[in-house]
Amino acid sequence: QSVLTQPPSVSAAPGQKVTISCSAGNSNIGTDFVSWYQHVPGSAPKLLIYDNNKRPSGIPDRFSGSKSGAAATLGITGLQTGDEADYYCATWNSRLSEGWVFGGGTKLTVL
Amino acid sequence: QLQLQESGPGLVKPSETLSLTCTVSGVPITSRNYYLGWIRQPPGKGLEWVGSIYYSGSAYYNPSLASRATVLEDTSENQVSLQLRSVTAADTAVYYCARQYLGYYSGSGSPLLYYMDVWGKGTTVTVSS
């Protein structure tokens, strides 16, 4: 089971905004760094956000990340049909010696 | 430019050992700033971390797979490998290799990895007789 909880799916129309939550529940990720990945089935996952809110070079500013306490959020504005994908949050859980933990993934549908 | 390429047999029989290789091109795997590791995605399910290794040979594993998994590095070939023993149908998945940024070491000596910035395209492994 995932230590990080994400909604199974979200949807919105082109041009709109969505947010995807990532909750650690009873685990403490307050001091851990959360990263977000976009995964189109059949291709390599892509790093979207690292260190909670930083974007790698080449990722448009339509994508944003934030974290507060035990919850992190990915925001996507100006939705495009090309944004349809699965989105995963992840963190390295050093305290429980579990290593990398992923959220269960959220399927984004652009209507 | 760094590239990762996974390779290995696409079909493995139950109870046998799954062996995969990740070939790294563009930079040596002896970088002090990164781990290399394996992540898998079973059909219809999410991403699952398998294990990660530093160039020094220090490795960490998903506790649920630690008894069956071994990740090794071959610095002369610039490769990282995964061996998963006693496989079952539950090990059927797309296996990805990914580079993982090392932030720092804690006071206890445990690494804190920050993110996975480069991924291979993945290789599909089916466990079936």
Side-chain angles (χ1 to χ4, degrees), chain A residues 31-35 37 39-47 49-51 86 88 90-94 96-105, chain B residues 35 39-41 45-52 60-63 96 99-101 104 106 110-122:
Chain A
T31 56
D32 292 337
F33 290 99
V34 175
S35 50
Y37 303 87
H39 187 209
V40 176
S43 62
K46 178 193 293 186
L47 175 66
I49 298 289
Y50 68 98
D51 293 2
D86 299 317
Y88 293 88
T91 189
W92 177 267
N93 192 333
S94 58
L96 298 180
S97 298
E98 287 188 358
W100 284 107
V101 288
F102 286 93
Chain B
Y35 274 63
I39 295 92
R40 70 182 185 178
Q41 183 179 34
K45 296 187 178 181
L47 299 174
E48 178 184 37
W49 173 63
V50 178
S52 302
Y60 294 82
Y61 298 97
N62 185 323
Y96 296 97
R99 187 177 75 165
Q100 300 155 30
Y101 182 74
Y104 63 90
S106 69
S110 298
L112 181 61
L113 305 187
Y114 281 8
Y115 53 84
M116 294 172 268
D117 63 342
V118 181
W119 296 67
K121 294 181 179 180

Side-chain angles (χ1 to χ4, degrees), chain B:
Chain B
Q1 182 178 354
L2 173 67
Q3 290 187 318
L4 307 177
Q5 177 68 56
E6 305 89 345
S7 60
L11 182 64
V12 182
K13 289 183 168 56
S15 80
E16 295 190 344
T17 296
L18 178 163
S19 296
L20 299 176
T21 298
C22 172
T23 300
V24 181
S25 58
V27 296
I29 67 172
T30 52
S31 168
R32 296 180 182 275
N33 294 327
Y34 293 95
Y35 274 63
L36 285 165
W38 294 92
I39 295 92
R40 70 182 185 178
Q41 183 179 34
K45 296 187 178 181
L47 299 174
E48 178 184 37
W49 173 63
V50 178
S52 302
I53 192 166
Y54 196 45
Y55 79 96
S56 63
S58 176
Y60 294 82
Y61 298 97
N62 185 323
S64 69
L65 298 171
S67 63
R68 298 192 294 125
T70 300
V71 179
L72 299 172
E73 89 287 3
D74 185 338
T75 55
S76 65
E77 295 291 334
N78 226 41
Q79 293 177 334
V80 173
S81 64
L82 168 66
Q83 292 185 341
L84 189 62
R85 298 172 291 280
S86 303
V87 297
T88 69
D91 295 310
T92 293
V94 178
Y95 285 77
Y96 296 97
C97 178
R99 187 177 75 165
Q100 300 155 30
Y101 182 74
L102 171 62
Y104 63 90
Y105 285 95
S106 69
S108 64
S110 298
L112 181 61
L113 305 187
Y114 281 8
Y115 53 84
M116 294 172 268
D117 63 342
V118 181
W119 296 67
K121 294 181 179 180
T123 187
T124 300
V125 177
T126 301
V127 178
S128 175
S129 55

